[in-house]
Amino acid sequence: MDTKAALNTDVAAIHAAMREEASGASLHGNPMAVTLGAKIVEARADFVALEFEPSHHLLQGAGVLQGGAVTAMLDFAMAFATLTGMPTDGTCGTVSLNVSFLRPAEAGHYRAEGRVDRRSKTMAFTNARLWVEGSEALVATATSVLAVRAR
């Protein structure tokens, strides 16, 4: 197997942002992140801030973002916070996820912040918050447990 193919492009992007080489960069190696219009705003140990501008294709019939899109933004924030502590050949996967939807998610520009509350060799316990940029009102919050491993 080609070593470069085994590297997690998300980890590489997070590590670059932690070195301040890619702040505001899109996550072009991740098709779902591209669909959500994701950009890394800030990354440091056990914390990540992301901006999203989801496509109108993700709106449901009532004109608000589909709940799965909101959940994906929160999941990315928690996973990427976990990736800040991973080696470049590492990965993580969501084991459990709990989301609370606090208000309708209108089309717009979003910010999500993810944090690692506790980390072990095999698990990370995380939380995230999502709101419309420029507003203090939370749209949704989440907690998750992620399995972590080096390849």
Side-chain angles (χ1 to χ4, degrees), residues 1-10 12 88-89 151:
M1 173 171 36
D2 180 11
T3 304
K4 289 187 180 199
L7 297 180
N8 184 332
T9 59
D10 293 337
T88 56
D89 66 343
R151 290 190 179 164

Side-chain angles (χ1 to χ4, degrees), residues 78-79 81-82 115-118 124-128 142-146:
M78 293 180 288
T82 301
R115 288 180 173 75
V116 176
D117 296 319
R118 184 172 169 269
F125 300 85
T126 65
N127 73 80
T143 58
S144 73
V145 178
L146 297 102

Side-chain angles (χ1 to χ4, degrees), residues 67-79:
V70 171
T71 300
M73 290 187 279
L74 291 160
D75 190 38
F76 270 122
M78 293 180 288

